Amino acid sequence: MRLTGDLGKLEISVLRRSNSETDDYWDGNWLESQIKIDVQGIHTLYGTNLRVDDLQRFYKSLTALQNDTTKESEFTTMEEGLYLHFQVESNGSVNCKGKANTDSGDSLEFKFQTDLATLDRFVGELETTLESYPLVGSLE
């Protein structure tokens, strides 16, 4: 999943399920992921685990943003490896700000601006990722 803008780029690559041998809701929905951030002379690449259910909530939030149901969307993760906030401005530009957190406690706050067409591509890539990594198990 790639989101590019005037002064930045965010890439989220899901590499594999962390526990592919189980269909347990809590253990089977972790995804080993790689995050790449390029903003105004800062380039970082780090690994973090994301959850399928976090990505599903993010997808629903972004589609509400696309449908003009809301002007803001937020992505939070259980282990706080990545935080994202999107806000659509009246001129159609999209402000993206975020915070990357590593397991060692280091963090990077970043921001850049993109547009709705680029956001649409990102949402499509997120949908494809969710099709490749469906939620397993249930809370019940």
Side-chain angles (χ1 to χ4, degrees), residues 6 8 10-11 13 21 24 26-27 39 44 49-50 59 81 85-87 100 102 104 115 117 124 130 140:
D6 293 338
L10 167 70
E11 288 183 47
S13 301
E21 68 285 346
D24 176 72
W26 291 109
D27 293 333
V39 288
T44 189
N49 286 315
L50 304 175
Y59 176 76
H85 181 267
F86 294 91
Q87 183 171 1
T102 66
S104 64
D115 57 50
L130 289 170
E140 300 170 357

Side-chain angles (χ1 to χ4, degrees), residues 26-41:
W26 291 109
D27 293 333
N29 288 305
W30 288 103
L31 304 174
E32 291 180 30
S33 303
Q34 195 171 59
I35 311 297
K36 182 178 181 181
I37 301 165
D38 292 321
V39 288
Q40 299 181 7

Side-chain angles (χ1 to χ4, degrees), residues 3-82:
L3 184 68
T4 58
D6 293 338
L7 299 173
K9 178 173 67 171
L10 167 70
E11 288 183 47
I12 302 171
S13 301
V14 174
L15 307 174
R16 68 186 71 77
R17 284 192 188 270
S18 300
N19 301 301
S20 59
E21 68 285 346
T22 183
D23 63 356
D24 176 72
Y25 177 82
W26 291 109
D27 293 333
N29 288 305
W30 288 103
L31 304 174
E32 291 180 30
S33 303
Q34 195 171 59
I35 311 297
K36 182 178 181 181
I37 301 165
D38 292 321
V39 288
Q40 299 181 7
I42 297 173
H43 310 285
T44 189
L45 176 68
Y46 71 102
T48 191
N49 286 315
L50 304 175
R51 285 193 53 85
V52 174
D53 47 339
D54 291 336
L55 290 172
Q56 286 178 331
R57 280 190 296 280
F58 186 39
Y59 176 76
K60 288 177 186 173
S61 177
L62 285 175
T63 55
L65 192 100
Q66 286 178 304
N67 297 330
D68 206 25
T69 308
T70 184
K71 296 291 184 196
E72 296 184 48
S73 175
E74 190 174 65
F75 176 60
T76 58
T77 61
M78 185 178 285
E79 291 190 345
E80 300 179 349
L82 180 64

Side-chain angles (χ1 to χ4, degrees), residues 87-137:
Q87 183 171 1
V88 178
E89 299 297 326
S90 58
N91 66 2
S93 66
V94 180
N95 293 321
C96 173
K97 66 178 180 177
K99 185 173 182 182
N101 296 301
T102 66
D103 290 339
S104 64
D106 296 318
S107 66
L108 170 69
E109 290 187 25
F110 61 93
K111 63 182 176 180
F112 61 92
Q113 201 170 60
T114 189
D115 57 50
L116 289 170
T118 304
L119 184 65
D120 288 346
R121 284 192 297 277
F122 180 78
V123 173
E125 292 169 358
L126 177 55
E127 182 178 28
T128 300
T129 299
L130 289 170
E131 290 169 357
S132 299
Y133 297 96
L135 192 70
V136 297

